[in-house]
Amino acid sequence: MNKIKVGVIGATGMVGQNYLRLLADHPWFEVTYVAASPRSAGRTYEEAVAGRWLMTDPLPEQYKDLIVGDAGDIDSAKGKCTVIFSAVSLDKEQVKELELAYAAAGFAVVSNNSAHRHTENVPMLIPEVNHAHVDIIPAQREFYGWDTGLLAVKPNCSLQSYVTPIHALREKGYQVDRMIITTLQAISGAGYPGVPSYDMLDNIVPYIGGEEEKSEEEPLKIFGTIEDGKFVYDNSIQISAHCNRVPVIDGHTACVSLGFKGEKPELDEILEIWENFKSLPQELDLPSAPRQPIIVRYEADRPQPRRDRDMDKAMAVSVGRLRECKVFDYRFVGLSHNTVRGAAGGAILMAELLVAKGYIK
Ligand code: NAP
């Protein structure tokens, strides 16, 4: 198979570097274009990331001599790729405009940015949860008058740690209607150089701007439905979130208490549902799909970021500590890798789904 040519904008950043690392040997995609800010544009990729390549693997040879484009200059991507993975840090309005402009120019845009997460005809995907939402693409294309262009976004990087386990229960008919979530989020989630070391060492910061709103609102769209070419949110779940930045490099943890409306499953049944959960990415055997999307840990002190974040290509969600809750019904701890499953890896899986569904040729 001829590989699909992809570009990464924001390629020099934390998420961009993860894209390049994960795409280095990808069976379907080949990185043929990289772009970043005007500060990096015109340099080779090796020069642009000199002294700030943050991956533990060395910079793959194939990227060293790529000339970095200016992400704001859409023309420079034309003819070089058909898919754009977007991981630029710009203000929200600028990102909105830029991503729409790339899609209007015919690119399939798959984004990590939050700018379009609540745009009414843009799918926000966790492929194991709401893969059916990609079927809004024809309505999206019709609305904007795009031919090959499309826009799909990833949710916030901590969400899959609790949304995927909750989805598995909802799919079996159990109506979760309330959740309290306390996230413990890694410093890589703030990019590089991120949070000052003086704030992170020997400390916890109990505030991440905008993060609690994202944790409370984004699941409602993910659990929603498509009506008349737009997403209708599922407002039957109430979520209250506390988001904390903790001194962990990678891996977002979420401590969750949840309540059910109507019948609730037994503890053993929940474990069985999680153990057996599989979805379309597994059925289609997509290259980045974890074989088992939810891994249950039975030890009293797991999951832990350092021990569990890399499970199954760092794409699986680990859950543990399932027990009764004295206020709600049950509580558990979920964990996933924020820059892989929660960012670049999750977006690559979305692009694979869009290929498998025929929306990216
Ligand atoms: P980062 O490490 O700060 O990287 C930012 C990237 O944006 C760099 O490539 C930078 O290029 C580029 N950039 C900055 N200003 C620009 C401009 N004016 N024009 C074009 N490009 C510009 O940030 P990150 O952590 O990778 O995050 C990137 C995006 O993904 C953000 O929107 C973030 O919210 C989102 N996200 C991050 C995570 C995570 O876990 N880190 C997870 C999910 C989503 P230069 O190197 O040239 O400055």
Side-chain angles (χ1 to χ4, degrees), residues 156-162 181-190 195 200 203-216 241-255 305 334-336 338:
N156 179 257
C157 47
S158 66
L159 244 68
Q160 60 281 329
S161 302
Y162 49 94
I181 300 154
T182 302
T183 67
L184 309 164
Q185 301 190 203
I187 52 180
S188 59
V195 189
M200 273 335 306
N203 207 16
I204 286 173
V205 181
Y207 173 73
I208 307 174
E211 208 78 356
E212 292 176 352
E213 294 80 354
K214 291 173 188 170
S215 306
E216 291 168 358
H242 307 258
C243 295
N244 303 282
R245 188 72 74 193
V246 298
V248 162
I249 294 290
D250 287 316
H252 286 353
T253 302
C255 301
L335 170 94
S336 60
N338 55 299

Side-chain angles (χ1 to χ4, degrees), residues 123 125 130-140 226 231 357 359:
L125 299 167
N130 60 339
H131 49 80
H133 284 190
V134 295
D135 293 325
I136 200 159
I137 298 296
Q140 184 193 81
I226 302 172
F231 287 103
K357 289 268 208 159
Y359 295 120

Side-chain angles (χ1 to χ4, degrees), residues 126 129-130 155 158-170 179 181 215 218-220 222-223 239 254 256 274 277 294 317 332:
I126 298 177
V129 175
N130 60 339
S158 66
L159 244 68
Q160 60 281 329
S161 302
Y162 49 94
V163 167
T164 311
I166 297 300
H167 165 72
L169 303 178
R170 285 167 50 98
M179 295 163 73
I181 300 154
S215 306
E218 291 179 13
L220 311 185
I222 292 168
F223 290 140
I239 302 175
V256 181
W274 284 344
F277 175 70
I294 301 175
V317 176
F332 70 93

Side-chain angles (χ1 to χ4, degrees), residues 80-319:
K80 297 193 179 109
C81 56
T82 53
V83 176
I84 289 287
F85 287 112
S86 170
V88 282
S89 275
L90 286 171
D91 80 51
K92 206 168 176 168
E93 287 312 310
Q94 285 177 303
V95 173
K96 269 191 173 172
E97 216 176 285
L98 187 67
E99 291 182 346
L100 286 174
Y102 271 103
F107 295 98
V109 180
V110 176
S111 177
N112 283 98
N113 215 287
S114 62
H116 278 291
R117 287 186 190 153
H118 293 286
T119 302
E120 62 186 10
N121 54 13
V122 171
M124 173 162 51
L125 299 167
I126 298 177
E128 283 86 352
V129 175
N130 60 339
H131 49 80
H133 284 190
V134 295
D135 293 325
I136 200 159
I137 298 296
Q140 184 193 81
R141 283 178 167 159
E142 192 182 336
F143 178 84
Y144 289 111
W146 298 338
D147 177 14
T148 54
L150 65 84
L151 177 55
V153 300
K154 251 205 60 51
N156 179 257
C157 47
S158 66
L159 244 68
Q160 60 281 329
S161 302
Y162 49 94
V163 167
T164 311
I166 297 300
H167 165 72
L169 303 178
R170 285 167 50 98
E171 196 184 51
K172 293 291 177 191
Y174 294 113
Q175 186 77 45
V176 175
D177 72 343
R178 56 203 187 280
M179 295 163 73
I180 292 183
I181 300 154
T182 302
T183 67
L184 309 164
Q185 301 190 203
I187 52 180
S188 59
Y192 183 80
V195 189
S197 54
Y198 199 89
D199 292 333
M200 273 335 306
L201 293 171
D202 186 30
N203 207 16
I204 286 173
V205 181
Y207 173 73
I208 307 174
E211 208 78 356
E212 292 176 352
E213 294 80 354
K214 291 173 188 170
S215 306
E216 291 168 358
E217 290 161 15
E218 291 179 13
L220 311 185
K221 179 171 182 181
I222 292 168
F223 290 140
T225 49
I226 302 172
E227 279 176 34
D228 299 326
K230 295 173 188 167
F231 287 103
V232 178
Y233 290 43
D234 181 345
N235 292 314
S236 66
I237 306 184
Q238 285 200 307
I239 302 175
S240 172
H242 307 258
C243 295
N244 303 282
R245 188 72 74 193
V246 298
V248 162
I249 294 290
D250 287 316
H252 286 353
T253 302
C255 301
V256 181
S257 287
L258 67 152
F260 292 88
K261 184 178 170 197
E263 195 193 353
K264 65 173 185 180
E266 297 295 323
L267 285 170
D268 282 353
E269 191 182 354
I270 295 179
L271 295 171
E272 197 186 320
I273 289 171
W274 284 344
E275 292 263 18
N276 293 319
F277 175 70
K278 295 241 182 336
S279 183
L280 190 63
Q282 286 68 42
E283 282 164 34
L284 294 172
D285 199 17
L286 299 179
S288 302
R291 279 183 304 278
Q292 193 171 337
I294 301 175
I295 295 175
V296 180
R297 304 297 323 194
Y298 291 93
E299 302 89 329
D301 59 355
R302 302 279 281 275
Q304 296 178 14
R306 198 142 46 81
R307 292 188 166 140
D308 297 304
R309 64 192 169 206
D310 291 327
M311 297 304 288
D312 210 339
K313 309 179 286 265
M315 288 295 283
V317 176
S318 296
V319 295

